[in-house]
Amino acid sequence: MIPAPNGLGKKPVKKDSGKGKGKKRLAGLSRWLHIYLSMVSFTILLFFAVSGLTLNHADWFTSGKELVAKDSGSVNLKWVNQADTNKINKLQIVEFFRNKHQIKGALSDFRIDDRELSLTFNGPGYLADSFIDRETGKYELTTTRFGAVAVINDLHKGRDSGKAWSWIIDISAVLMTLVSISGIILICFIKKKRLSGFIIAAVGTIICYLIYKLFVP
């Protein structure tokens, strides 16, 4: 057999241009982001998905779940029976209730009038109210726990959950945005699914818009 001349009988190998390499890198980065961001954010995204359902149908889960506890006692009379209300040590009183009754939540209200003091603590699914008689130092405390679903719903809304949880909400919003954008970029590189994917995305957007325009008061 006579060997074919160099270059004959071989398929030409296309070299990737700079633009082609850039597309491959973008596709690879989008795939990497979509997969690993989805895994990193799996728990928090699942939490907000489930809590969105419980929040939208709160009456299905929270009816009759409240647990109310009442207590009473006395504080040091010097703490509250001050002619000058500016001399009342609010922190001392707050810490008294936290230590004695294991009060949770953040102090949301502290009021002083001529006859009594009132304190309110709020947390996710949690409320504590106390009223202190300034003449005698006696107080009444009511603590209400609204149940696990109420805790989940308040965390979903970021209500009475503090700055740390507020950061979690912000981070989860960023992660959901990145997962969505990376998914859109990724489908651009799948020729067989690209058109149908964008059509489905457009139909979903239009349906949401029409429901908003036609049925939302």
Side-chain angles (χ1 to χ4, degrees), residues 47 104-106 121-128 144-162 165:
F47 170 82
K104 296 169 56 181
F121 300 84
N122 288 104
Y126 179 89
L127 172 65
T144 307
R145 290 176 170 84
F146 296 95
V149 174
V151 174
I152 291 172
N153 291 344
D154 283 348
L155 288 174
H156 183 99
K157 294 182 287 186
R159 184 168 66 185
D160 304 317
S161 53
W165 189 257

Side-chain angles (χ1 to χ4, degrees), residues 38-51:
S38 296
M39 291 298 97
V40 168
S41 59
F42 170 77
T43 301
I44 195 67
L45 295 186
L46 180 62
F47 170 82
F48 280 106
V50 173
S51 59

Side-chain angles (χ1 to χ4, degrees), residues 95-142:
E95 290 305 311
F96 168 82
F97 281 100
R98 290 199 187 280
N99 295 328
K100 185 174 179 60
H101 298 284
Q102 289 74 52
I103 295 297
K104 296 169 56 181
L107 179 70
S108 60
D109 190 34
F110 193 120
R111 295 186 183 183
I112 305 174
D113 61 29
D114 293 336
R115 305 182 70 176
E116 69 177 13
L117 301 177
S118 64
L119 296 83
T120 301
F121 300 84
N122 288 104
Y126 179 89
L127 172 65
D129 286 309
S130 181
F131 298 92
I132 308 172
D133 190 313
R134 293 186 61 195
E135 292 184 0
T136 63
K138 294 182 178 180
Y139 65 83
E140 292 184 355
L141 173 67
T142 302

Side-chain angles (χ1 to χ4, degrees), residues 5-13:
N6 291 338
L8 294 179
K10 295 181 179 179
K11 292 183 179 180
V13 178

Side-chain angles (χ1 to χ4, degrees), residues 17-197:
S17 63
K19 187 176 181 181
K21 288 181 179 179
K23 286 183 177 180
K24 283 187 176 182
R25 287 180 186 145
L26 180 58
L29 177 62
S30 298
R31 186 180 298 108
W32 186 89
L33 284 173
H34 193 72
I35 292 173
Y36 289 102
L37 286 179
S38 296
M39 291 298 97
V40 168
S41 59
F42 170 77
T43 301
I44 195 67
L45 295 186
L46 180 62
F47 170 82
F48 280 106
V50 173
S51 59
L53 182 63
T54 61
L55 184 62
N56 198 39
H57 299 284
D59 55 314
W60 293 1
F61 303 97
T62 58
S63 178
K65 299 293 184 181
E66 296 86 1
L67 181 62
V68 180
K70 294 183 179 292
D71 208 338
S72 60
S74 299
V75 299
N76 190 324
L77 190 58
K78 294 180 180 179
W79 295 355
V80 296
N81 193 4
Q82 296 278 353
D84 184 358
T85 56
N86 291 322
K87 293 182 179 180
I88 294 177
N89 191 329
K90 295 181 179 180
L91 179 61
Q92 192 174 39
I93 297 171
V94 169
E95 290 305 311
F96 168 82
F97 281 100
R98 290 199 187 280
N99 295 328
K100 185 174 179 60
H101 298 284
Q102 289 74 52
I103 295 297
K104 296 169 56 181
L107 179 70
S108 60
D109 190 34
F110 193 120
R111 295 186 183 183
I112 305 174
D113 61 29
D114 293 336
R115 305 182 70 176
E116 69 177 13
L117 301 177
S118 64
L119 296 83
T120 301
F121 300 84
N122 288 104
Y126 179 89
L127 172 65
D129 286 309
S130 181
F131 298 92
I132 308 172
D133 190 313
R134 293 186 61 195
E135 292 184 0
T136 63
K138 294 182 178 180
Y139 65 83
E140 292 184 355
L141 173 67
T142 302
T143 304
T144 307
R145 290 176 170 84
F146 296 95
V149 174
V151 174
I152 291 172
N153 291 344
D154 283 348
L155 288 174
H156 183 99
K157 294 182 287 186
R159 184 168 66 185
D160 304 317
S161 53
K163 290 183 179 180
W165 189 257
S166 177
W167 274 102
I168 291 292
I169 294 175
D170 290 341
I171 291 170
S172 65
V174 172
L175 288 173
M176 281 188 273
T177 301
L178 291 175
V179 169
S180 300
I181 292 174
S182 62
I184 290 293
I185 295 174
L186 194 56
I187 202 170
C188 291
F189 294 95
I190 306 175
K191 293 183 179 180
K192 293 182 179 180
K193 303 292 184 181
R194 183 166 51 199
L195 180 59
S196 60

